[in-house]
Amino acid sequence: MLDFEPPKLETLAFEEPEDGVLLLKINRPDRMNSMTVPMFGEIRAAALAARDSGARAMILTGAGDRAFCAGFDLDEIDVITRMGVREFLHFQELATGGLAAIRELPFPVIAAVHGAAAGGGMSLALAADIRLAAPTAKFNAAFVKVGLSAGELGTSWQLTRLVGPGRAAEIAYTARIVGAEEAERIGLVNRVVPSEKLLDEALETTRQIAGNSPGGVKLSKRALQRNQEIASYAGALELENRGQALLTRSEDMSEALAAFKDKRAPQFARTIEK
C-alpha cells in the first residue's frame, strides 16, 4: 500500500483500489458532482498530496452514476458575481492552479468519464493524460451559456491541441454537447468502453503503465507535455536528449536490460529519485 496521508476533503474522496494506484472521486453525487469555490482548493490540495505518494498512476472520476462533473454549481454562482476584481482574480488563480496541479502530477492521470462533463468538468477531464468514456459521457464547453468564455481553466489551450482549432472553435462557440461516440472520433477521448467496465478499463490501463519503468514513464510524460509548449523541433530534441541521458544512468534501465537477458519480467522499484 502507498505511504500516503490524504488531506481532509469534503468535496473529493481518495481511494486506493490497487497497490500503487490512487482513485480521486469528485464527491458531490447529489449535485451531479458540480464544482464549488472550496472544491478548487481541495483539488489543488489533493494533487499536492498525491504528488509525493509514490503512486504509479491516478484515476479521476465522479461519484455516483449521473455525472463526471457538471461544471460550476449554478446555485452558488452568486458567490462569484459578488466578488470584486482582485478577489475574482485570486479565485481564478486558485481554480486554475488546482487543475494545473492535476496536469502536472509526475505520473499519468486517467479520467474515467460518465455522464456530464460540462464547463469546468470538461476542463478537469482535459487536465488528465488519458480519457476513457462510458457511452453516457457528454462533453460541453458551457462557458458561453453563462456569459463567460472558453478561455477558462486551460480549456482553450488543451481543447485546441486535442481536436484542432476548427473543431475547438465550433465546440467553444456553440456550447453544443459532444457525445461519447463523436468524442472518440475527434480525439477528445481515447476510447469508449461499456459503462459497467469503465473503472475496470481504467485500472487495466494503470496496470500496463505500472509494468514499465517508473523513470521512463515520468520523463515520457514530461517530454510529451513540455514539447507541446516548445516552438522548435531543435528545442524538443534537446529536452528528449537530456531525458534519455539521465535514464541511461538509472536503476530502471539496468533492471530492464538484465530482465531482458534473463528472459524474465523486470522488477522495477516503485519510487524514483525526486
Side-chain angles (χ1 to χ4, degrees):
M1 303 297 287
L2 293 171
D3 182 14
F4 172 61
E5 186 68 32
K8 184 179 179 180
L9 301 170
E10 295 183 1
T11 64
L12 307 174
F14 266 121
E15 297 176 17
E16 188 179 349
E18 290 188 1
D19 189 24
V21 177
L22 288 174
L23 174 65
L24 181 60
K25 284 187 177 181
I26 307 131
N27 196 31
R28 299 185 75 224
D30 57 320
R31 299 293 301 171
M32 294 185 69
N33 297 317
S34 55
M35 294 167 155
T36 62
V37 171
M39 183 186 288
F40 288 109
E42 290 197 0
I43 289 172
R44 184 174 185 275
L48 293 178
R51 183 181 62 189
D52 297 323
S53 66
R56 298 294 306 278
M58 187 173 83
I59 298 169
L60 180 63
T61 195
D65 56 8
R66 296 176 64 201
F68 174 77
C69 174
F72 197 83
D73 192 332
L74 293 183
D75 283 354
E76 300 197 12
I77 198 72
D78 284 350
V79 175
I80 293 176
T81 60
R82 291 196 301 266
M83 291 179 180
V85 172
R86 290 183 182 178
E87 187 180 6
F88 185 75
L89 179 59
H90 175 74
F91 164 67
Q92 278 292 107
E93 290 173 345
L94 173 70
T96 56
L99 269 66
I102 292 289
R103 184 176 181 272
E104 292 292 322
L105 282 169
F107 45 77
V109 178
I110 300 157
V113 182
H114 62 284
M122 179 175 173
S123 304
L124 185 58
L126 294 180
D129 300 283
I130 298 166
R131 280 157 296 281
L132 304 179
T136 59
K138 297 178 180 180
F139 299 85
N140 92 294
F143 309 106
V144 295
K145 292 285 189 182
V146 293
L148 296 172
S149 82
E152 170 77 336
L153 299 172
T155 301
S156 61
W157 196 92
Q158 297 270 49
L159 186 62
T160 302
R161 283 157 177 77
L162 279 172
V163 304
R167 287 194 175 106
E170 182 200 0
I171 291 168
Y173 304 160
T174 64
R176 70 176 179 82
I177 291 173
V178 178
E181 183 179 341
E182 181 186 0
E184 180 181 36
R185 176 170 55 80
I186 66 177
L188 185 56
V189 303
N190 294 71
R191 58 186 177 276
V192 179
V193 300
S195 296
E196 66 275 12
K197 294 183 178 180
L198 182 60
L199 283 181
D200 288 340
E201 188 72 16
L203 282 168
E204 177 57 30
T205 303
T206 68
R207 294 181 197 117
Q208 293 175 16
I209 291 167
N212 298 318
S213 150
V217 171
K218 179 177 181 178
L219 288 188
S220 292
K221 175 168 179 172
R222 185 174 298 176
L224 288 171
Q225 287 191 340
R226 297 296 181 268
N227 283 341
Q228 289 185 64
E229 302 170 17
I230 291 175
S232 73
Y233 182 62
L237 292 179
E238 178 69 17
L239 187 148
E240 290 183 349
N241 291 344
R242 291 183 182 187
Q244 296 295 60
L246 288 171
L247 288 172
T248 61
R249 298 297 180 265
S250 72
E251 294 180 0
D252 287 357
M253 187 172 185
S254 298
E255 169 59 15
L257 294 176
F260 178 77
K261 291 178 181 178
D262 296 342
K263 297 182 179 180
R264 60 175 175 82
Q267 300 296 315
F268 295 118
R270 171 179 289 172
T271 58
I272 61 173
E273 298 79 13
K274 296 173 184 175

